[in-house]
Amino acid sequence: GAVVSQHPSRVICKSGTSVKIECRSLDFQATTMFWYRQFPKQSLMLMATSNEGSKATYEQGVEKDKFLINHASLTLSTLTVTSAHPEDSSFYICSARLLAGNEQFFGPGTRLTVL
Amino acid sequence: GQQVMQIPQYQHVQEGEDFTTYCNSSTTLSNIQWYKQRPGGHPVFLIQLVKSGEVKKQKRLTFQFGEAKKNSSLHITATQTTDVGTYFCAGDAGNNRKLIWGLGTSLAVNP
């Protein structure tokens, strides 16, 4: 149980385009999902906390108009990188938490490359 | 702000040697969690410690939570090549339930 999927796993796009990443909890409902960014050989950087039915809470320094988050259902959250630039290239990982629990279950991640 | 320091950043051991990574929080935690990320993979939850002074074991892995609930350690006995990866601690301060992540310790094991 507690499986999280993420799609796509890898995307290459041109500078200026927008990219949508989906995060789904497959066998449980998640009122809260988290979006992280990870650079090579570095730690996880929390970008935002996504709450079902309400606005996401962004961490300091993360542009909410650049990284649009929509958590429309208890099993799906999406992250849209708008007008992507090469510096947005990174590994984006989502995680979800059970309603009654603390541990986070991670998706497999999306590797974004912006040319 | 709240911080979780983790050391060492890297550790290179011979197979069979022991390994320990340490985490220290600037604030008291309600719980601390440990995750493992294999190269090219995503973090996988290992364990959660909640009680002051708690010690938990998973086969060759021993996890400890300090009495003050501000520090924690993960000790691996007799490392194997399958232990390779980055081990992260993540502290939950309990206020808004987001985790404060350590920088991770990357473990390399020579066969």
Side-chain angles (χ1 to χ4, degrees):
Chain A
V3 178
V4 176
S5 71
Q6 202 171 327
H7 178 80
S9 59
R10 190 178 294 269
V11 58
I12 300 173
C13 68
K14 292 182 179 179
S15 186
T17 60
S18 293
V19 175
K20 179 186 280 189
I21 303 170
E22 292 187 349
C23 179
R24 293 181 185 272
S25 55
L26 297 185
D27 51 359
F28 67 102
Q29 293 182 331
T31 55
T32 303
M33 290 184 173
F34 301 90
W35 286 96
Y36 293 88
R37 185 172 178 176
Q38 187 176 36
F39 291 102
K41 298 186 178 182
Q42 292 192 22
S43 187
L44 297 161
M45 186 193 83
L46 179 64
M47 299 174 66
T49 302
S50 169
N51 297 295
E52 186 269 335
S54 64
K55 291 183 178 180
T57 303
Y58 289 82
E59 295 299 302
Q60 193 172 8
V62 179
E63 298 176 58
K64 62 180 181 181
D65 295 329
K66 170 90 177 158
F67 299 99
L68 300 177
I69 291 173
N70 185 5
H71 194 157
S73 77
L74 287 172
T75 60
L76 173 64
S77 176
T78 61
L79 167 68
T80 301
V81 182
T82 62
S83 186
H85 288 92
E87 57 266 30
D88 298 325
S89 299
S90 189
F91 191 50
Y92 292 87
I93 319 177
C94 71
S95 71
R97 192 174 56 208
L98 293 168
L99 290 176
N102 292 321
E103 63 264 39
Q104 294 184 18
F105 299 93
F106 284 83
T110 297
R111 189 159 301 282
L112 170 64
T113 302
V114 185
L115 302 176
Chain B
Q2 296 167 336
Q3 289 185 332
V4 173
M5 307 298 293
Q6 188 173 355
I7 58 169
Q9 190 174 359
Y10 302 99
Q11 185 82 57
H12 213 133
V13 300
Q14 262 330 102
E15 189 171 22
E17 291 182 339
D18 292 355
F19 159 77
T20 306
T21 172
Y22 302 89
C23 277
N24 192 51
S25 169
S26 59
T27 57
T28 302
L29 302 170
S30 63
N31 69 77
I32 193 161
Q33 301 171 28
W34 286 90
Y35 293 78
K36 177 183 179 182
Q37 184 176 21
R38 293 181 185 273
H42 59 278
V44 174
F45 173 78
L46 293 177
I47 208 161
Q48 175 180 267
L49 304 170
V50 178
K51 299 177 183 177
S52 169
E54 188 170 16
V55 178
K56 286 187 175 180
K57 290 191 175 185
Q58 289 180 350
K59 297 182 180 179
R60 294 178 294 104
L61 276 61
T62 302
F63 303 84
Q64 292 188 327
F65 201 10
E67 294 290 339
K69 300 183 72 172
K70 295 179 73 173
N71 54 68
S72 181
S73 65
L74 157 59
H75 180 82
I76 302 179
T77 304
T79 55
Q80 300 175 357
T81 55
T82 53
D83 295 327
V84 165
T86 300
Y87 293 85
F88 292 99
C89 62
D92 183 347
N95 41 16
N96 55 12
R97 298 191 70 201
K98 71 178 184 182
L99 295 177
I100 311 299
W101 291 81
L103 292 180
T105 297
S106 292
L107 172 64
V109 180
N110 282 340

